[in-house]
Amino acid sequence: MSRQVTQPRFNMDWMLRDLASSVPETRHVVLLSSDGLCMAQVGTDKDTADRLAAACAGLQSLSGAIAAEFPEGDGRMRLVVIEVDGGFFYLMAAGTSSYLAVLAEDSVDAGLMGQCMRDLVARLGEHLSSPPRVDGRVT
């Protein structure tokens, strides 16, 4: 039986809480599908999470175009880090067709953040996947 895309399979926010609490200075953690659907969030409201997810979908698409310029690679984006005044933005490939996005203050331990994100993806990658959709429905 199919469900509407806007209805999550289950609440995945709990998977992100450990990351948010393990790395001081973490502001927002969002799990999104490759097409920009917010699947889970911690430390933010729904509107902010949806905006971040939509922006991340565009960023991961651009990153894929850059990755394709490396002929010996597989053409996929693994990690993007952007430093701006006031903080850092991280976008990491998570499960199948999903990405983990984090906004953190400028005093964050960048190495710790990267390691904790990699650990989360390694431990829970299959649960962080976005299910295939056909005609706006989860299959």
Side-chain angles (χ1 to χ4, degrees):
M1 180 175 206
S2 296
R3 294 180 298 253
Q4 289 293 331
V5 170
T6 55
Q7 299 300 314
R9 291 176 293 164
F10 52 89
N11 184 329
M12 294 184 285
D13 295 356
W14 66 271
M15 291 184 203
L16 308 180
R17 282 192 194 104
D18 185 50
L19 174 63
S21 63
S22 296
V23 183
E25 308 302 324
T26 300
R27 293 184 65 195
H28 307 299
V29 181
V30 176
L31 177 67
L32 63 132
S33 65
S34 60
D35 58 356
L37 176 68
C38 178
M39 300 180 344
Q41 67 203 45
V42 169
T44 188
D45 58 80
K46 182 170 176 18
D47 289 340
T48 301
D50 286 342
R51 277 194 317 276
L52 288 172
C56 290
L59 185 56
Q60 66 82 20
S61 178
L62 290 171
S63 299
I66 298 298
E69 295 300 318
F70 293 90
E72 61 281 347
D74 60 11
R76 294 182 295 161
M77 181 277 290
R78 291 196 178 93
L79 174 67
V80 172
V81 179
I82 299 174
E83 181 179 5
V84 297
D85 285 339
F88 290 89
F89 167 77
Y90 301 84
L91 180 63
M92 179 179 281
T96 304
S97 298
S98 68
Y99 295 87
L100 182 61
V102 176
L103 285 173
E105 302 293 335
D106 59 1
S107 56
V108 71
D109 181 331
L112 178 62
M113 178 61 78
Q115 185 62 49
C116 287
M117 289 177 73
R118 281 189 294 277
D119 290 349
L120 175 66
V121 168
R123 281 191 336 258
L124 300 172
E126 68 184 62
H127 301 290
L128 301 177
S129 296
S130 175
R133 294 186 292 275
V134 176
D135 296 328
R137 295 187 173 274
V138 175
T139 58

